[in-house]
Amino acid sequence: MPSPKNKKQRISCTNDETAAEAPPSFTSLSTDILAHIFGHLPLEEIMRSRRVCKKTIDAAKETAVPLGESNVRDDYFKLDSIGKYNALLVMAETLPGLRQISIESQSYDSLYKNKDGKFKYNDGKNPDAKEVTRTADYITLDIVDALSKYPNLHALNIDRAPFNGQYPSLFSFSRLEKLSIICSKIKFDLEMLAQLPSLKDFQSEFGVTGSLKSLSVCKNTLETIVIGDGDVPISGNFMELANFPRLKKLDLWRAKEISGNLCDIDVDNENHFPMLESLRLPSQVIGGLWYEVMRVADAKQLIKDLTPLRRKRPELFQDRHQYWKLSQTSPDVVNPNPDAWDFGDQYRTFGFYFVQDGSCLGWRWEEKYDYTPDHPFEVHWLDPVSDEVASKWVPSGLGRFFKGYYEPPPYNVLSRLARNYVPCAEELEIWENL
C-alpha cells in the first residue's frame, strides 16, 4: 500500500554531520584559545580558572595577564607578606605572564594575624647603616631574584616597602611601561632610567635623586612624569623636558629645586611640549603654582607676560590650584606702622588667576581662606565683554566684601572695610561651625 503523500519523510544524518552542527565544548578548545580567553579575565579569576584541569594549567602558563586601564592598585599583584612572596616565586612557573606587581609595606594581617614575623628585602648597595642595624633580626627576602623571573613586567609600584639602599639590577625591565616609587629608604637615581627603554609613566614622591637631564634617555617614550624631592632635591630646569614629543602630564610641584620661567614656553615653537595637557610647577619657578610677587604691579606684569601662553595653551592652566600670590610682606598691603601688630597680617593671603567666560579672557584677585569662601575682587577683562557677561562676575553673596575693588587695597582701606563689614547669616553659620 503506497504511503500517504502528506506523510513527512524521516531525514537521517551521519554522526559526522551531527558533530559538525553541535556547539564546541570546553574540552575541544585549544590551549591557545583558552590562554586568549584568560587574557581578558582579572588576575584572581585566572588563578581560580587554572585549577580546573591540566589544559587550563597549561593555558595559564601562556596567558598574558591583562593590564589595568588605570593606576588602580587592584589590578596589581600586591606583595605585602611572606605568603605573597612565596606565591610570587611559584607563579613564575604557573603564571609567568604576570605583568603588574605592587611591592608594599608589610600588611597588618601578615604581621599580627598570620604572625609571619617582620621581614625586609635584601639590602642594596650603600644601605643606611642605622636601618641595617634596626632590621638585623628581620627575615630577609631576595626581591631582586623574585622579580627577575618576570622579564615581561609592564608595571611596577613600590609603596613604602622595606627596601634599604640602591638596587640597579631591580630596574632592568626592557618592557616596563609604568614605574611608581613612594619609598624613602630606596635610593633611585634618575640615571637608572637608562635600563627602562619602554617607560611611559614615571612617578615618584620621594626617594629619587639626580637631574632632569637624566630623563632624556626616555625622551621618546615618556608620557607622564610626576616627581617630588627626596633627601637630595632633584635639580634642573623644567624646560629641559620641552622637547619630549609624547609628554602629556608633567608634575614637578613637590620638587623644590627645579628652576625656570613659565614664560620660556614659546607659543610659536611647535617643539615646546607639543603634547602636554597637564602642567604643575613648583612655586620657585616663575609662574609656577603659588609663585609669589612682591608688589601689585608685579602681578600685572606677570599676567601680561603669561597672557599669550594662556590664550594659545589654555590646557596648561586648568589645575584647580593654579593661582599666584602676593607676598604677605608686600608693602602694598602690610601695616605701615612697624610698632603695630595685626593678628590677621600673618594669615592674610591674596591670590590672582585667569578667568574665562566663553571666548573672553580676564583675571582677578581674591583673598584666600582655608575654611570659608574666598573673597573675590572685580575682574580685569582683557577682552571686550557685554554687560551681561560682566554682571555675572560682580562679587555678590558670600564674596561681596571687595565689590567695587579691582586689587588688594592699602592697609588702612582694608582695615576700614573689615570694621564696617557686616557678614550675612550664611557666613556667620559657617564661622560658628568651624
Side-chain angles (χ1 to χ4, degrees), residues 375-390:
H375 287 165
F377 290 76
E378 303 279 4
V379 175
H380 295 268
W381 290 107
L382 303 173
D383 299 312
V385 296
S386 65
D387 292 341
E388 181 182 359
V389 170

Side-chain angles (χ1 to χ4, degrees), residues 168-226:
S169 57
L170 186 64
F171 303 99
S172 57
F173 298 97
S174 61
R175 298 185 181 182
L176 195 72
E177 296 181 357
K178 293 183 179 181
L179 175 60
S180 175
I181 301 175
I182 308 173
C183 184
S184 61
K185 297 300 181 181
I186 199 168
K187 298 178 180 179
F188 184 94
D189 193 278
L190 292 177
E191 292 183 352
M192 295 166 65
L193 293 176
Q195 302 177 89
L196 305 173
S198 303
L199 193 64
K200 295 180 180 180
D201 185 327
F202 177 64
Q203 302 188 37
S204 173
E205 290 191 12
F206 45 77
V208 174
T209 59
S211 169
L212 288 182
K213 291 182 179 179
S214 299
L215 292 169
S216 61
V217 295
C218 298
K219 167 185 171 181
N220 294 320
T221 59
L222 276 171
E223 299 177 0
T224 297
I225 300 175
V226 180

Side-chain angles (χ1 to χ4, degrees), residues 51-70:
R51 303 172 186 169
V52 174
C53 62
K54 184 179 184 303
K55 182 177 286 189
T56 57
I57 292 175
D58 293 338
K61 292 179 180 180
E62 299 179 12
T63 299
V65 180
L67 300 174
E69 297 294 331
S70 66

Side-chain angles (χ1 to χ4, degrees), residues 150-384:
Y150 295 88
N152 295 324
L153 199 63
H154 275 57
L156 177 61
N157 173 56
I158 300 176
D159 187 355
R160 299 172 180 85
F163 286 94
N164 184 19
Q166 193 176 55
Y167 301 80
S169 57
L170 186 64
F171 303 99
S172 57
F173 298 97
S174 61
R175 298 185 181 182
L176 195 72
E177 296 181 357
K178 293 183 179 181
L179 175 60
S180 175
I181 301 175
I182 308 173
C183 184
S184 61
K185 297 300 181 181
I186 199 168
K187 298 178 180 179
F188 184 94
D189 193 278
L190 292 177
E191 292 183 352
M192 295 166 65
L193 293 176
Q195 302 177 89
L196 305 173
S198 303
L199 193 64
K200 295 180 180 180
D201 185 327
F202 177 64
Q203 302 188 37
S204 173
E205 290 191 12
F206 45 77
V208 174
T209 59
S211 169
L212 288 182
K213 291 182 179 179
S214 299
L215 292 169
S216 61
V217 295
C218 298
K219 167 185 171 181
N220 294 320
T221 59
L222 276 171
E223 299 177 0
T224 297
I225 300 175
V226 180
I227 298 179
D229 280 338
D231 295 334
V232 180
I234 300 293
S235 62
N237 189 307
F238 83 96
M239 287 299 294
E240 293 168 342
L241 311 178
N243 62 347
F244 281 39
R246 298 176 181 272
L247 189 60
K248 297 180 181 180
K249 177 180 179 179
L250 177 60
D251 187 343
L252 303 174
W253 179 57
R254 294 182 179 86
K256 301 307 180 184
E257 294 296 324
I258 298 299
S259 61
N261 187 333
L262 190 57
C263 299
D264 289 339
I265 300 178
D266 188 348
V267 295
D268 297 319
N269 190 333
E270 295 181 353
N271 294 322
H272 277 190
F273 299 108
M275 300 294 291
L276 198 62
E277 301 172 354
S278 175
L279 177 64
R280 300 183 81 199
L281 297 173
S283 60
Q284 72 274 7
V285 171
I286 297 174
L289 270 65
W290 304 345
Y291 172 73
E292 284 193 3
V293 298
M294 182 54 67
R295 307 299 298 261
V296 171
D298 298 333
K300 296 177 181 178
Q301 185 62 50
L302 181 64
I303 290 292
K304 180 179 178 181
D305 294 340
L306 289 176
T307 295
L309 182 63
R310 173 59 179 77
R311 289 189 185 279
K312 196 159 187 177
R313 303 287 300 275
E315 68 276 7
L316 304 185
F317 296 82
Q318 296 306 311
D319 191 284
R320 64 187 182 90
H321 299 293
Q322 180 68 61
Y323 69 88
W324 307 283
K325 299 193 295 186
L326 181 67
S327 172
Q328 292 180 333
T329 61
S330 170
D332 293 336
V333 294
V334 299
N335 191 339
N337 182 0
D339 297 327
W341 183 81
D342 184 347
F343 178 78
D345 284 348
Q346 58 182 319
Y347 298 106
R348 187 169 290 125
T349 299
F350 292 103
F352 59 101
Y353 54 93
F354 284 109
V355 299
Q356 187 158 359
D357 194 306
S359 61
C360 299
L361 186 65
W363 68 284
R364 80 185 322 171
W365 284 93
E366 201 168 59
E367 186 172 13
K368 313 295 290 186
Y369 291 92
D370 291 333
Y371 304 107
T372 58
D374 300 327
H375 287 165
F377 290 76
E378 303 279 4
V379 175
H380 295 268
W381 290 107
L382 303 173
D383 299 312

Side-chain angles (χ1 to χ4, degrees), residues 36-55:
H36 180 75
I37 295 173
F38 285 0
H40 292 79
L41 300 177
L43 175 60
E44 292 185 359
E45 292 295 330
I46 297 174
M47 295 303 293
R48 277 196 288 265
S49 299
R50 67 174 294 276
R51 303 172 186 169
V52 174
C53 62
K54 184 179 184 303
K55 182 177 286 189

